[in-house]
Each structure stands twice: as C-alpha cells, then as structure tokens.
Amino acid sequence: MTRTSRFTTAATLLLAVLIMTFGCKSSNSDPTPTNLTSFQGSWKITGLTVNPGYMGVTDLATGLQLLGETCLKDAVITFNSNGTISNNLATQASCTNATNTQKVIAAFFGPTTTYTESGAQATLVTNGQTVQATRVFTTTSSTVTAQLPYDLGGNAVATTYTVVLTKQ
C-alpha cells in the first residue's frame, strides 16, 4: 500500500468517526417535561388532609375509605375555561350514599363554585364564601392549600386543608 493510499484510508476513517460522533442526533434530545400552570381540565383528588385533624383524623382520604366511602377515588373535578367547576359525583354509583365525601367535595368543588387563578394563588368562591388558596404544580399534579376559620364540622377551629389533585 502506498503512502498516499494509507493517508487517504486514515483520513476517510477519521472523517467517518467525526461524522458518527458529532453528526448524529442524540437519542436523549427529548425536552424536559414542564410543570402544569393552570387548573383548567379534569383532575382526580388523590390526597386530602386537614390540620388539625377532624375528630382525630388528618388524612381524610383514608378516613373516608375506613367509613366505607370509596367515592373519592371515582370523583373527577373539572375546572372549566369559563371559571366554573363541575364534578361527576351524580353519575358515580360509589357516591350515592357517600354523604361525607359529597360534603367535602361540595365545600371546595361544588356545582356553584367558581375559580380564578393567578401565579401561585387560586380563589374559589362557593355559596358566597371566598377561599384564597396557594397552589403548587408539578408535571402531573397540583397541591392546593387553604386555611379556613372552621373545621369540617363547622366548629370555629382554624383548619388548614391540603388537597392533592392529579391531572387526568
């Protein structure tokens, strides 16, 4: 093999290596998922806690299940683009006799509730009562926290309510 042909072969190999190294698109070019920024759409309640606890219970989602109410896992809350909120409780068989779950959902996400959102804040208005809440979004969920001057029983006990919503 002559010096020129060795040089040509080496140059061709080097060029092939450079093209393979720098010319191919990386398979990890998918963009990083972005966090949600709005309530608009349908959500499931996947967490529900109160502090202080109501009748000794802080995890209401578990407490409602212990009472035999499985409605929460079937409930879908929809934040409509016109600022209203709707839910599917009336169409879920598991919600027919789930009076405690219905009360909890109606308190925040009932058929007369409206909402607005701005930055990390959300405002819910139900039956003339305005509730200010903070919200934190991830790529698939939102945690909403609000403090009200009363507990679930209507007693004058300042209570923090935390609801975890998972996007559907």
Side-chain angles (χ1 to χ4, degrees), residues 41-43 75-90 105 108-115:
S42 296
W43 302 78
V76 175
I77 311 302
T78 302
F79 291 81
N80 303 301
S81 61
N82 65 358
T84 62
I85 296 175
S86 57
N87 64 58
N88 69 340
L89 298 184
I105 291 175
F108 291 101
F109 309 115
T112 62
T113 304
T114 60
Y115 76 100

Side-chain angles (χ1 to χ4, degrees), residues 14-126:
L14 180 60
L15 181 60
V17 169
L18 288 172
I19 289 172
M20 301 235 348
T21 303
F22 298 106
C24 294
K25 189 174 183 178
S26 169
S27 62
N28 288 337
S29 63
D30 294 336
T32 303
T34 58
N35 285 348
L36 297 166
T37 58
S38 173
F39 283 135
Q40 203 170 97
S42 296
W43 302 78
K44 281 201 175 231
I45 298 174
T46 53
L48 178 59
T49 59
V50 292
N51 185 17
Y54 180 67
M55 297 175 59
V57 177
T58 57
D59 183 348
L60 294 181
T62 300
L64 289 167
Q65 280 189 321
L66 291 173
L67 291 174
E69 294 192 17
T70 60
C71 173
L72 199 60
K73 71 175 180 55
D74 298 324
V76 175
I77 311 302
T78 302
F79 291 81
N80 303 301
S81 61
N82 65 358
T84 62
I85 296 175
S86 57
N87 64 58
N88 69 340
L89 298 184
T91 63
Q92 299 303 309
S94 64
C95 297
T96 303
N97 295 315
T99 55
N100 294 308
T101 303
Q102 290 179 18
K103 286 179 187 175
V104 169
I105 291 175
F108 291 101
F109 309 115
T112 62
T113 304
T114 60
Y115 76 100
T116 57
E117 47 188 343
S118 177
Q121 298 296 311
T123 303
L124 303 171
V125 179
T126 298

Side-chain angles (χ1 to χ4, degrees), residues 140-164:
T140 59
S141 67
S142 178
T143 300
V144 183
T145 306
Q147 184 164 19
L148 298 178
Y150 51 85
D151 66 11
L152 289 171
N155 303 307
V157 177
T159 303
T160 300
Y161 296 80
T162 303
V163 181
V164 178

Side-chain angles (χ1 to χ4, degrees), residues 125-145:
V125 179
T126 298
N127 298 324
Q129 179 176 344
T130 300
V131 176
Q132 297 293 332
T134 59
R135 63 193 184 144
V136 176
F137 286 106
T138 69
T139 58
T140 59
S141 67
S142 178
T143 300
V144 183
T145 306

